[in-house]
Amino acid sequence: MDSPVIKEIKVKSVLSKSNLPVCEYSVNPYVGCTHGCKYCYASFMKRFTGHTEPWGTFLDIKVWPEIKNPQKYAGKELFIGSVTDPYLPQEEQCGRTRALLEQLQGSGAKLSIATKSDLILRDLDLIKTFPDARVSWSINTLDEAFKNDMDNAVSIERRLAAMEAFYRAGIRTTCFVSPIFPGITDIEAIIQRVKEQCNLIWLENLNLRGSYKAVIMEYIQKNHPWLLTLYQEIYNSGNRSYWEMLDIKLKAYADEIGLEYATNDDSIRRPFDAPPVIVNYFYHEQIKKSARKDGDKHA
């Protein structure tokens, strides 16, 4: 992959009021992304950026005035990384996410951070000072070869090791099984791998739209041709029976291994050392529309 186009941009604030169902403020210290995920639903954000480069090949580093009154966010839910991973490799040098955490420290803000990286380990002690902090890692396969086909982020093993380190440090962790690729993602194997080192297991189905639909369909045709008919039924004909059957199967599996299974609700509060809850979060249209509104605010 060629070097990404990187520049600094000045913004009035790094925090935006959000319509997402999981937070009150959407926080993205960067615009664009360098993970280059082939399935990235956030790629539609490109049209708000003024960039002509393909999504995944540019990164804008946000520079904002220091947050003067962080206490105004006390008790508020802040989602860091709603569109762009806050721990991209460039964060190691730029430190914008670190700067954000330092400015918010002691504010009483409730943080949710989403990442595919283990660079977040650098900030573990800082994140631990926030009340009820939650960190999620995207893990939709245990197959490193498939992962490498799909993104340029760190290995699955490095993500799992970071998740375990946070969990052992007493910080609530989420395994975000997303996106689930029909016939490819072994959800049961992932659950078995993470159930002793996370508090929540989110399940989200692959949703194909826009320019990346053709990319994924071509990948399936070339690398998993025996699945092409299934993908055509789901993504060309709109047949949801695969997801309905998967929901039934996973609920039965959860019962079998003694884990709670819920739908579209991650608000369940349990003791930290309780077994994780598996949450089926198949509601992409709501995320898509809310993220688009957030994008309008960032424009």
Side-chain angles (χ1 to χ4, degrees), residues 115-176:
T115 186
K116 281 185 167 80
S117 179
D118 58 352
L119 177 57
I120 193 172
L121 288 167
R122 178 199 66 187
D123 296 340
L124 190 156
D125 289 342
L126 183 52
I127 294 168
K128 193 174 181 179
T129 67
F130 287 82
D132 301 319
R134 300 199 313 184
V135 181
S136 69
W137 283 266
S138 297
I139 296 171
N140 73 335
T141 183
L142 298 179
D143 180 350
E144 298 287 1
F146 177 68
K147 173 263 154 196
N148 289 336
D149 283 347
M150 288 295 121
D151 68 57
N152 302 314
V154 303
S155 69
I156 298 299
E157 281 306 312
R158 285 173 62 178
R159 299 180 206 182
L160 290 168
M163 180 193 300
E164 183 170 14
F166 269 74
Y167 183 76
R168 303 300 172 210
I171 299 170
R172 288 189 179 269
T173 60
T174 297
C175 179
F176 192 21

Side-chain angles (χ1 to χ4, degrees), residues 26-44:
S26 171
V27 190
N28 292 283
Y30 300 92
V31 177
C33 189
T34 58
H35 285 332
C37 303
K38 288 184 173 65
Y39 50 76
C40 182
Y41 84 89
S43 58
F44 74 90

